[in-house]
C-alpha cells in the first residue's frame, strides 16, 4: 500500500523537474541577445498607462482607469469608484449611479456633491467652507456637506490648508479686523493682515543681481516670499522686537533672528578684540582643551529652525574625505587646508534647498554650565554703499554678519521653482581664523572669525561643470614684537659685521703690502662684508627656525603660534639673501685658492759626481750627480690629493640628513600642527608645511650631523687612524721638501720639510735606519729653529723679498711647462729648468739666512693677532715667520674652510627644498653641486699647481 502511494509521488517529482528545466532553458535563451532593455520614462507612459517599477516599463491601465498622480499606478476615471485595488493595474472600477455624481475623497464610494465637482470628479466647497463626507462616528453620508467656518468673535476660525478642518485664523486678522477676513482698506500679504494705518515697506523688487556674472534675474522664490517676509519682519519689529534684546546682546532683537552686527565704524575690532574667549586651549590635554567645539544652529530657507549640530563630520566642508581627516580641522593648533573640484550636478543634488547656519563656539563656564559664544562672519562679497567693505585690511571698516549658507540653488530660479536654477551661489572659500591673545601663557584666544567668499556659477551643463572650493582653518598671533626683535638683532649683528669686515680689509691690506685705499680695496671690503652678512642672515634664520621648532612643538599650554605663510616672506627673503651672499663668498674663496703661489723647495744635494758627455763637443766631463725629481712629484701629488679634503664626508652628510628626515620622520616636525610625533598614520590628516619649521628642522639636522662628524674626525679618526694634514707635513720632512705658499702678495705659509738626516734620496735600508734614529732621538729635531719641532709657519714677507720672488717667478711663468716632453724645444725647457733651479736656490738660501738684506725673524703671534686674524707688525726690513702650531696653511684648502662650505651646503639644500618642497630633490642637487665644485676645484687647482711649481700636469694623478 505504501509502495503504491510512493510511485505516483516520484513520478510527479520527475515531471516537475523536467518542466522546471525546460522553463530555465527557455529563460536562458534571451541571454544570447545580451542584458539590454528599452529605456522608458514615467513621462512617456501617457494618461492611459502607468510606469511599473519592477519592470521599468509602461503598462496599460484597465477599463475606466487612468494614470495616478505619482505615475506608478492606476486610478479610476471621474464618475467611477474603486471596487478593489492591489496596486498597479490591479484595480477594478465601477460606475457611480446617476443620482450620485461624485466620488469620495478616498475614491472608494459614490456620493452626492451639492456644490459641484473638481476635475478629478470629487466634491468641492467654497473657500471659506470645509468639506464633510462622514459623520463623527465615520459613517459615510449620502450627500456631502459644505460647512462654513465661523469667523466671528469667540470662534475666529477658518479652513486649514487641506480644507477639511476649521482652525483659529492667524492673529493678525483678529487684531486688525476682529474677524478672519482682511477686507479693504486693510492689506493682505504673505498670509498676514496689516492695517491700513501701518506703514508697510514699499513693494520689493524680486530681482537678484549676480555681480560676478553681470546677470540680473527675476527670482521666483523672492517673487513669492519677499514682500510678505519684509512686511512680517517690519510688523514684528514694530510690535515686539524693539521692546528689548536677547541674551543682553544689543544686535539680537526679540522675536527676530540675529543676522548681522551693527554698522558703526570700528565695531568689528571691538567684536573681535575687546573680549577674550572665556576658555583656554592646549596642545596636550582633554578633548575640551585640544578641540574647537563648534556648534551650528541650522535653519531652512523659510527661517524654520532645523536642529543643533556639531561641525565634525564635514558639515561645512564641501570636499569629501574620511571622517578622521574631516574632523582634524577642529584640532586646536592644526592648520587645516582642503580644496577640490566638485561637480555642479552633485551640488544641485545634495543642496537643492539651502541651509543657513548660525555658528557658535561651545565652552564650559565656571559653574559647569555649557555656554555658546557667537562666531562672527566676514562675508567678502558684502557690499555697503556700493563698496566691498570687507575686502580691505582695515578691520575698522568691516561689517560683520552672523548667518551664512554653503549653497544657494533657490534664489537663482526663474519663473518656476520646480526647474533647475539659472545661477547658483557657492561658498567657494571658507576660512576659520583663530587668533592668539598676545603675551598669553595659557592658550587664551580672541573670538574666532569665519571668512567666506562666494562664487556665482551660471548653470549650463551641470554634468560637465565643476567648481573649485576650499575650506581652511588658520592660526595666527601678533608677530610685530618678534619682527621688531629680529630687526634689532639684524641691525646689531649687521653693524658688527661691518666692523669685522673692516678689520678683515685692514688685515688684507697689510698682507698685500699696499697701504693705498683704492677701488680694489672697496671691492674687497664688499666681498668680506658679503660673507659676514651672509653669516648674520644664517644665524638669524637658523635661530628663528629652531626657536619656532622648539617653542611651538614642545609647548603644552599655548603661548606662541606659527607665523602665517604670508608672514614668512621676510624669513624666506633672509634665506635667499644668506644664500646669495654666501655663494658670492664661496666663489671668491674658490678664486683665491685657485690663484695661490706655491713652490716646493728641494733641499736634496747631489751625491758625488758623474761623467757626462758634453753635447756638440764630443768630450766627457765630470759633473755633479743629478738630484731625483720624483720626490717633488710625489709631494705635488699628495698636495693635489688634499686640496678638496674636508672635515666631514659630504656623501655621508647628505645621506644621513635625508635618512633622518624621510625615514626616521623628522620631516613631520615641520608640519603646521600641534603634534611632535615623528610618525603619521596613513589615515591621519597631513597638515601643510611651515617653511620656517622646514628650514629649522633641516638646518638643525645638518649642523648636528656635521658637528658629530667633525668631533669624530678630530677626536678619534685623525688621532688614531689617519690625519692627512699632519701626515703631509711629515711626508715633506721625509722627502726633504719644503712648501712655500703665498696666498697674498706679502703673506703666506711655510712648511719646513728639510730632512734632519741631510738627504732623503736613498734606499729602503737607509730610510728605515734614519726613521729609527729619529725615533730614538739620536738626531736633531725637525723644526726650523734649532732644538724645536715647529715646522709650520705663517709668513709675512717684506716688499723687497716679494719683488725678488716676482722677478724669478716671471721667468718661471714664461713657459708653463712643455705640452709634451718629446716635442718641447730645448731652449724653452732649459729656460724653465734654470728658472726652477734659480727659484729653488733663492728660497733655500732665503730660509738659510743667506740674504741679509732680505732676512727674517721667527716669533709668536700675539693672542689678539690670533683672534683678529691679522698682523700688527709690518715687515719693513725683515720678513716675519710666525709659529703656527694649528697648521693654518689648510686655509688655502677646503679643509680649512669647512664652516664656509658647510653653511653654503645648508643654504643650498634649504633654498632647493623651499622652492620644491622636496627633501629628496634638495639632497640630490646638493650632492651634485658638491661634486661639481669639487671637480672644478680639483681640475683648476691641479692646473695652478703645475703652472706654479713647474711639475708637469701629466705626473699629477
Amino acid at each position: 500500500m505504501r509502495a503504491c502511494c510512493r510511485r505516483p509521488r516520484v513520478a510527479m517529482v520527475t515531471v516537475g523537474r523536467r518542466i522546471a528545466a525546460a522553463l530555465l532553458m527557455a529563460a536562458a535563451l534571451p541571454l544570447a541577445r545580451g542584458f539590454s532593455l528599452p529605456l522608458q520614462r514615467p513621462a512617456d507612459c501617457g494618461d492611459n498607462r502607468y510606469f511599473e517599477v519592477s519592470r521599468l516599463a509602461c503598462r496599460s491601465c484597465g477599463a475606466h482607469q487612468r494614470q495616478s498622480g505619482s505615475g506608478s499606478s492606476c486610478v479610476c476615471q471621474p464618475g467611477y469608484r474603486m471596487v478593489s485595488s492591489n496596486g498597479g493595474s490591479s484595480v477594478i472600477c465601477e460606475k457611480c449611479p446617476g443620482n450620485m455624481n461624485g466620488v469620495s475623497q478616498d475614491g472608494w464610494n459614490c456620493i452626492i456633491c451639492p456644490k459641484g465637482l473638481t476635475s478629478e470628479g470629487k466634491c468641492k466647497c467654497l473657500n471659506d467652507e470645509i468639506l464633510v463626507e462622514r459623520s463623527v462616528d465615520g459613517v459615510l453620508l449620502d450627500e456631502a456637506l459644505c460647512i462654513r467656518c465661523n469667523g466671528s468673535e469667540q470662534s475666529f476660525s477658518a479652513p486649514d490648508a487641506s480644507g477639511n478642518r476649521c482652525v483659529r485664523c492667524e492673529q493678525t486678522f483678529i487684531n486688525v479686523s476682529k474677524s478672519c477676513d482682511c477686507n479693504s482698506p486693510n492689506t493682505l500679504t504673505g498670509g498676514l493682515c496689516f492695517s491700513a494705518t501701518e506703514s508697510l515697506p514699499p513693494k520689493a523688487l524680486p530681482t537678484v543681481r549676480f555681480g560676478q556674472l553681470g546677470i540680473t534675474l527675476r527670482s521666483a522664490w523672492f517673487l513669492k516670499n519677499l514682500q510678505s517676509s519684509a512686511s512680517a519682519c517690519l510688523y514684528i519689529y514694530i510690535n515686539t522686537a524693539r521692546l528689548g534684546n536677547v541674551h543682553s546682546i544689543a544686535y539680537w532683537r526679540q522675536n527676530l533672528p540675529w543676522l548681522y552686527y551693527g554698522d558703526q565704524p570700528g565695531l568689528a575690532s571691538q567684536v573681535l578684540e575687546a573680549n577674550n574667549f572665556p576658555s583656554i586651549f592646549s596642545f596636550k590635554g582633554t578633548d575640551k582643551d585640544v578641540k574647537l567645539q563648534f556648534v551650528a544652529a541650522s535653519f531652512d530657507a523659510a527661517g524654520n529652525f532645523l536642529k543643533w549640530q556639531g561641525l565634525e563630520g564635514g558639515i561645512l566642508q564641501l570636499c569629501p574625505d574620511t571622517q578622521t581627516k574631516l574632523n582634524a580641522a577642529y584640532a586646536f593648533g592644526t592648520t587645516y587646508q582642503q580644496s577640490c573640484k566638485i561637480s555642479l550636478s552633485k551640488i544641485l543634488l545634495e543642496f537643492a534647498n539651502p541651509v543657513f547656519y548660525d555658528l557658535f563656539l561651545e565652552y564650559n563656564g565656571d559653574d559647569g554650565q555649557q555656554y555658546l559664544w557667537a562666531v562672527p562672519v566676514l562675508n567678502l562679497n558684502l557690499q555697503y554703499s556700493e563698496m566691498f567693505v570687507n575686502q580691505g585690511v582695515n578691520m575698522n571698516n568691516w561689517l560683520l554678519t552672523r548667518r551664512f549658507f554653503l549653497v544657494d540653488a533657490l534664489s537663482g530660479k526663474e519663473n518656476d521653482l520646480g526647474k533647475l536654477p539659472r545661477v547658483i551661489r557657492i561658498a567657494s572659500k571658507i576660512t576659520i581664523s583663530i587668533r592668539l591673545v598676545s603675551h598669553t601663557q595659557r592658550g587664551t584666544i580672541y573670538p574666532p572669525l569665519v571668512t567666506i567668499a562666494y562664487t556665482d556659477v551660471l548653470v549650463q551643463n551641470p554634468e560637465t561643470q565643476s567648481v573649485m572650493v576650499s575650506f581652511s582653518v588658520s592660526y595666527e598671533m601678533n608677530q610685530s614684537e618678534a619682527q621688531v626683535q629680529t630687526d634689532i638683532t639684524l641691525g646689531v649683528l649687521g653693524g658688527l659685521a661691518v666692523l669685522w669686515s673692516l678689520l678683515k680689509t685692514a688685515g688684507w691690506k697689510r698682507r698685500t703690502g699696499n697701504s693705498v685705499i683704492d677701488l680694489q680695496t672697496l671691492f674687497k671690503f664688499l666681498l668680506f662684508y658679503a660673507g659676514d652678512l651672509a653669516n648674520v642672515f644664517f644665524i638669524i634664520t637658523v635661530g628663528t627656525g629652531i626657536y619656532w621648532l622648539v617653542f611651538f612643538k614642545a609647548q603644552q599650554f599655548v603661548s606662541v603660534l606659527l607665523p602665517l605663510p604670508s608672514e614668512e616672506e621676510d624669513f624666506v627673503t633672509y634665506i635667499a639673501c644668506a644664500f646669495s651672499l654666501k655663494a658670492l663668498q664661496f666663489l671668491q674663496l674658490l678664486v683665491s685658492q685657485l690663484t695661490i703661489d706655491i713652490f716646493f723647495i728641494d733641499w736634496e744635494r747631489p751625491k758625488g759626481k758623474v761623467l757626462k758627455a758634453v753635447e756638440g763637443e764630443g768630450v766627457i766631463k765630470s759633473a755633479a750627480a743629478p738630484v731625483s725629481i720624483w720626490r717633488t712629484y710625489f709631494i705635488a701629488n699628495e698636495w693635489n690629493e688634499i686640496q678638496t679634503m674636508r672635515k666631514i664626508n659630504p656623501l655621508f652628510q647628505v645621506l644621513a640628513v635625508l635618512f633622518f628626515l624621510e625615514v626616521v620622520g623628522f620631516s613631520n616636525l615641520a608640519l603646521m600642527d600641534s603634534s611632535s610625533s615623528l610618525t603619521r598614520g596613513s589615515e591621519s590628516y597631513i597638515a601643510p608645511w611651515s617653511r620656517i619649521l622646514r628650514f629649522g628642522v633641516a638646518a638643525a639636522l645638518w649642523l648636528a650631523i656635521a658637528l658629530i662628524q667633525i668631533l669624530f674626525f678630530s677626536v678619534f679618526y685623525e688621532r688614531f687612524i689617519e690625519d692627512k694634514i699632519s701626515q703631509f707635513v711629515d711626508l715633506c720632512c721625509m722627502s726633504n721638501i719644503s712648501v712655500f705658499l703665498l696666498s697674498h702678495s706679502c703673506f703666506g705659509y711655510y712648511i719646513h720639510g728639510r730632512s734632519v738626516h741631510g738627504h732623503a734620496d736613498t734606499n729602503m735600508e737607509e730610510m728605515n735606519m734614519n726613521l729609527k734614529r729619529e725615533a730614538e732621538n739620536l738626531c736633531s729635531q725637525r723644526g726650523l729653529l734649532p732644538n724645536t719641532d715647529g715646522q709650520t709657519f705663517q709668513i709675512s714677507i717684506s716688499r723687497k723679498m716679494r719683488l725678488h720672488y716676482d722677478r724669478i717667478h716671471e721667468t718661471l711663468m714664461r713657459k708653463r711647462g712643455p705640452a709634451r716632453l718629446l716635442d718641447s724645444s730645448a731652449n724653452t725647457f732649459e729656460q724653465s729648468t734654470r728658472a726652477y733651479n734659480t727659484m729653488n736656490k733663492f728660497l733655500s738660501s732665503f730660509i738659510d739666512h743667506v740674504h741679509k738684506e732680505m732676512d727674517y725673524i721667527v716669533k709668536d703671534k700675539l693672542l689678539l693677532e690670533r683672534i683678529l686674524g691679522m698682523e700688527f707688525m709690518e715687515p719693513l726690513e725683515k720678513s716675519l715667520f710666525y709659529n703656527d702650531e694649528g697648521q693654518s696653511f689648510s686655509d688655502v684648502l677646503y679643509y680649512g674652510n669647512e664652516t664656509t662650505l658647510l653653511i653654503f651646503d645648508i643654504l643650498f639644500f634649504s633654498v632647493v627644498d623651499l622652492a620644491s618642497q622636496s627633501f629628496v630633490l634638495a639632497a640630490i642637487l646638493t650632492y651634485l653641486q658638491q661634486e661639481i665644485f669639487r671637480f672644478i676645484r680639483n681640475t683648476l687647482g691641479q692646473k695652478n699647481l703645475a703652472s706654479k711649481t713647474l711639475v708637469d700636469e701629466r705626473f699629477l694623478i
Side-chain angles (χ1 to χ4, degrees):
M1 184 70 181
R2 291 179 178 174
C4 294
C5 292
R6 285 176 184 151
R7 287 179 182 175
R9 186 174 297 175
V10 171
M12 289 177 66
V13 170
T14 303
V15 172
R17 288 178 177 175
R18 291 177 179 174
I19 294 173
L23 289 174
L24 289 174
M25 292 178 62
L29 291 178
L31 293 177
R33 296 193 298 270
F35 301 92
S36 65
L37 67 158
L39 173 62
Q40 292 184 345
R41 298 180 177 87
D44 301 332
C45 297
D47 292 337
N48 297 324
R49 294 193 301 170
Y50 75 99
F51 188 78
E52 186 176 2
V53 178
S54 62
R55 297 182 59 186
L56 299 179
C58 296
R59 294 195 66 181
S60 298
C61 292
H64 313 297
Q65 298 174 17
R66 61 182 176 84
Q67 188 186 80
S68 65
S70 64
S72 59
S73 63
C74 296
V75 294
C76 294
Q77 293 179 353
Y80 290 81
R81 72 179 185 91
M82 287 188 296
V83 178
S84 67
S85 175
N86 294 320
S89 61
S90 302
V91 179
I92 299 177
C93 299
E94 180 182 78
K95 186 174 179 61
C96 289
N99 61 336
M100 293 186 175
N101 57 343
V103 181
S104 62
Q105 296 293 318
D106 56 16
W108 286 92
N109 301 98
C110 297
I111 194 170
I112 299 173
C113 296
K115 294 191 177 182
L117 302 174
T118 65
S119 59
E120 297 178 351
K122 298 179 180 181
C123 297
K124 68 177 182 180
C125 294
L126 300 179
N127 292 335
D128 57 348
E129 297 175 337
I130 61 171
L131 176 67
V132 179
E133 295 181 338
R134 297 180 183 272
S135 63
V136 177
D137 57 358
V139 176
L140 182 70
L141 302 177
D142 292 334
E143 181 177 351
L145 301 178
C146 288
I147 301 177
R148 182 181 181 87
C149 293
N150 188 355
S152 61
E153 193 170 356
Q154 302 300 326
S155 297
F156 293 126
S157 63
D160 63 1
S162 64
N164 296 324
R165 294 179 58 216
C166 290
V167 296
R168 183 177 175 85
C169 56
E170 212 281 324
Q171 186 65 34
T172 57
F173 287 77
I174 301 174
N175 294 340
V176 172
S177 64
K178 302 299 182 180
S179 69
C180 290
D181 295 324
C182 190
N183 299 323
S184 181
N186 300 322
T187 303
L188 176 65
T189 177
L192 303 176
C193 185
F194 296 96
S195 172
T197 60
E198 295 179 2
S199 57
L200 297 180
K203 187 171 181 61
L205 295 176
T207 57
V208 181
R209 183 176 182 272
F210 296 92
Q212 297 177 4
L213 302 175
I215 295 176
T216 300
L217 56 83
R218 186 180 179 87
S219 172
W221 175 260
F222 286 158
L223 181 63
K224 180 180 179 182
N225 300 286
L226 182 60
Q227 183 64 35
S228 59
S229 299
S231 302
C233 285
L234 180 61
Y235 172 80
I236 294 175
Y237 178 78
I238 292 174
N239 289 275
T240 61
R242 62 182 178 181
L243 299 178
N245 51 48
V246 180
H247 301 303
S248 301
I249 299 175
Y251 317 106
W252 195 344
R253 311 304 295 178
Q254 288 190 13
N255 297 321
L256 283 177
W258 180 17
L259 301 180
Y260 60 93
Y261 296 82
D263 58 355
Q264 300 92 331
L267 179 61
S269 60
Q270 297 179 26
V271 173
L272 296 174
E273 295 180 343
N275 299 299
N276 301 337
F277 184 69
S279 184
I280 61 174
F281 295 91
S282 65
F283 284 171
K284 302 172 181 65
T286 62
D287 286 345
K288 294 290 184 181
D289 295 334
V290 300
K291 284 195 174 234
L292 296 166
Q293 305 288 339
F294 283 107
V295 178
S298 55
F299 305 85
D300 62 13
N304 299 312
F305 176 79
L306 299 178
K307 60 181 176 179
W308 287 104
Q309 56 187 141
L311 294 192
E312 291 191 345
I315 301 301
L316 300 185
Q317 291 139 288
L318 295 177
C319 297
D321 213 329
T322 63
Q323 191 80 6
T324 302
K325 293 182 179 180
L326 290 173
N327 294 343
Y330 309 109
F332 186 79
T334 298
T335 299
Y336 187 90
Q337 291 180 357
Q338 183 196 45
S339 62
C340 67
K341 276 190 174 182
I342 186 169
S343 170
L344 209 60
S345 60
K346 181 179 180 182
I347 292 177
L348 291 173
L349 179 64
E350 297 180 359
F351 299 93
N353 295 309
V355 177
F356 292 83
Y357 300 96
D358 288 351
L359 193 59
F360 299 88
L361 187 57
E362 180 184 344
Y363 68 96
N364 292 327
D366 296 335
D367 56 357
Q369 174 69 35
Q370 288 183 325
Y371 291 92
L372 298 177
W373 190 282
V375 178
V377 176
L378 184 68
N379 185 347
L380 298 182
N381 300 79
L382 179 65
Q383 292 189 58
Y384 186 78
S385 298
E386 299 184 354
M387 295 178 60
F388 292 97
V389 292
N390 290 340
Q391 294 184 4
V393 295
N394 188 356
M395 187 183 300
N396 293 322
N397 295 331
W398 290 353
L399 295 180
L400 301 178
T401 57
R402 285 283 300 129
R403 189 163 293 186
F404 65 95
F405 60 88
L406 298 181
V407 178
D408 176 15
L410 191 60
S411 60
K413 293 183 177 182
E414 288 185 302
N415 304 324
D416 190 354
L417 292 175
K419 293 183 179 180
L420 286 177
R422 182 183 175 192
V423 179
I424 64 173
R425 180 166 286 166
I426 302 173
S428 57
K429 185 177 182 181
I430 301 177
T431 301
I432 301 178
S433 302
I434 312 295
R435 296 180 64 237
L436 189 70
V437 176
S438 300
H439 306 293
T440 180
Q441 301 296 327
R442 304 287 294 177
T444 306
I445 65 172
Y446 291 112
L449 174 67
V450 178
T451 304
I452 303 180
Y454 289 96
T455 299
D456 299 334
V457 181
L458 182 64
V459 180
Q460 296 174 326
N461 188 351
E463 298 297 331
T464 59
Q465 287 181 272
S466 60
V467 183
M468 177 65 72
V469 296
S470 67
F471 178 86
S472 61
V473 180
S474 64
Y475 293 82
E476 57 184 295
M477 64 177 292
N478 189 350
Q479 302 289 346
S480 59
E481 184 177 349
Q483 184 62 45
V484 169
Q485 293 176 352
T486 302
D487 293 340
I488 292 175
T489 305
L490 180 60
V492 172
L493 294 181
L496 294 177
V498 173
L499 297 178
W500 188 246
S501 300
L502 287 173
L503 288 175
K504 284 185 177 180
T505 307
W508 174 80
K509 291 295 292 181
R510 179 64 58 87
R511 292 179 175 184
T512 57
N514 183 9
S515 59
V516 179
I517 299 178
D518 51 11
L519 288 178
Q520 185 183 12
T521 306
L522 179 61
F523 180 70
K524 199 66 179 180
F525 166 76
L526 293 177
L527 288 178
F528 284 135
Y529 186 59
D532 295 333
L533 192 58
N535 294 336
V536 170
F537 281 121
F538 180 75
I539 292 172
I540 291 176
T541 52
V542 170
T544 302
I546 295 178
Y547 168 83
W548 286 112
L549 179 64
V550 173
F551 284 89
F552 176 74
K553 288 290 185 177
Q555 62 186 339
Q556 178 177 356
F557 293 104
V558 182
S559 59
V560 295
L561 290 176
L562 291 172
L564 295 174
S566 59
E567 296 173 328
E568 293 178 332
E569 297 302 326
D570 288 342
F571 180 82
V572 175
T573 302
Y574 289 165
I575 295 177
C577 291
F579 171 71
S580 302
L581 295 174
K582 185 57 67 172
L584 187 62
Q585 182 191 19
F586 175 65
L587 294 176
Q588 186 267 339
L589 175 67
L590 278 182
V591 172
S592 64
Q593 290 190 0
L594 294 175
T595 56
I596 62 169
D597 290 319
I598 181 171
F599 193 83
F600 299 122
I601 305 173
D602 191 352
W603 295 100
E604 196 74 13
R605 297 296 176 257
K607 293 182 180 181
K609 295 185 177 182
V610 296
L611 297 176
K612 181 179 179 181
V614 180
E615 185 178 356
E617 298 181 5
V619 297
I620 298 176
K621 291 184 178 181
S622 177
V627 176
S628 174
I629 194 63
W630 289 108
R631 290 173 297 102
T632 302
Y633 286 169
F634 180 61
I635 294 299
N637 274 286
E638 290 302 314
W639 177 265
N640 191 47
E641 287 182 7
I642 66 173
Q643 287 194 94
T644 55
M645 187 187 72
R646 295 181 59 174
K647 294 181 181 179
I648 65 172
N649 186 314
L651 179 59
F652 175 81
Q653 177 77 19
V654 171
L655 293 179
V657 170
L658 191 60
F659 172 79
F660 280 101
L661 286 173
E662 296 294 345
V663 179
V664 178
F666 276 84
S667 61
N668 291 321
L669 294 177
L671 297 175
M672 298 178 71
D673 58 23
S674 58
S675 174
S676 55
S677 173
L678 300 182
T679 58
R680 296 290 193 275
S682 58
E683 295 297 322
S684 301
Y685 168 74
I686 304 301
W689 301 104
S690 166
R691 290 180 289 184
I692 291 180
L693 293 184
R694 202 171 174 90
F695 176 79
V697 171
L701 280 176
W702 267 91
L703 292 173
I705 295 173
L707 180 61
I708 292 173
Q709 282 204 79
I710 292 173
L711 290 176
F712 171 78
F713 278 99
S714 301
V715 176
F716 178 76
Y717 187 85
E718 291 182 346
R719 180 171 297 184
F720 300 105
I721 299 178
E722 182 182 30
D723 183 358
K724 290 189 176 182
I725 299 298
S726 298
Q727 287 178 352
F728 178 78
V729 176
D730 293 338
L731 193 61
C732 288
C733 188
M734 296 306 301
S735 302
N736 208 14
I737 300 290
S738 292
V739 182
F740 189 83
L741 287 164
L742 289 178
S743 57
H744 300 73
S745 297
C746 296
F747 180 84
Y749 307 92
Y750 174 68
I751 302 174
H752 187 63
R754 192 170 192 174
S755 176
V756 296
H757 308 290
H759 57 85
D761 197 359
T762 182
N763 56 32
M764 183 183 296
E765 182 180 359
E766 188 174 356
M767 178 68 71
N768 290 332
M769 185 63 67
N770 291 340
L771 292 175
K772 184 177 180 182
R773 291 177 59 205
E774 193 170 354
E776 296 174 354
N777 291 324
L778 299 177
C779 58
S780 60
Q781 293 177 289
R782 293 182 175 182
L784 175 63
L785 299 179
N787 301 320
T788 62
D789 289 325
Q791 293 180 260
T792 56
F793 302 89
Q794 293 182 2
I795 59 175
S796 182
I797 62 175
S798 63
R799 191 65 182 166
K800 185 182 295 184
M801 163 64 184
R802 178 67 198 197
L803 292 174
H804 197 83
Y805 177 87
D806 288 340
R807 283 196 296 269
I808 303 174
H809 188 261
E810 184 180 355
T811 306
L812 182 66
M813 292 296 293
R814 288 176 183 173
K815 182 66 177 179
R816 297 189 177 183
R820 297 178 62 185
L821 288 177
L822 296 178
D823 60 358
S824 60
S825 64
N827 292 334
T828 303
F829 181 76
E830 290 177 0
Q831 183 179 2
S832 299
T833 302
R834 284 196 300 270
Y836 170 79
N837 291 330
T838 302
M839 180 66 77
N840 190 73
K841 183 178 180 181
F842 166 69
L843 291 179
S844 59
S845 61
F846 170 73
I847 298 299
D848 284 339
H849 299 279
V850 172
H851 306 282
K852 297 302 180 182
E853 73 282 4
M854 293 182 292
D855 205 357
Y856 66 91
I857 58 175
V858 180
K859 60 175 298 185
D860 291 326
K861 262 192 171 183
L862 300 175
L863 177 61
L864 189 58
E865 287 180 313
R866 294 176 183 272
I867 294 175
L868 298 180
M870 62 183 300
E871 298 75 36
F872 294 159
M873 292 183 61
E874 187 174 356
L876 298 176
E877 298 296 332
K878 292 185 178 182
S879 300
L880 301 174
F881 277 43
Y882 297 98
N883 291 309
D884 181 24
E885 297 178 357
Q887 299 175 342
S888 61
F889 69 88
S890 61
D891 288 348
V892 299
L893 307 172
Y894 265 11
Y895 187 86
N897 296 276
E898 186 60 51
T899 302
T900 299
L901 298 175
L902 180 62
I903 294 177
F904 178 73
D905 289 343
I906 294 175
L907 291 172
F908 184 91
F909 179 91
S910 301
V911 167
V912 175
D913 173 64
L914 291 178
S916 64
Q917 296 289 288
S918 171
F919 286 126
V920 176
L921 179 62
I924 293 173
L925 294 183
T926 301
Y927 179 70
L928 287 178
Q929 69 85 10
Q930 288 175 342
E931 290 299 305
I932 290 173
F933 282 114
R934 189 178 69 86
F935 174 78
I936 294 174
R937 175 66 179 84
N938 271 333
T939 302
L940 299 182
Q942 180 174 303
K943 291 183 178 297
N944 181 68
L945 180 64
S947 171
K948 300 296 177 61
T949 62
L950 205 65
V951 174
D952 194 281
E953 193 173 351
R954 290 172 295 177
F955 293 101
L956 299 176
I957 58 177

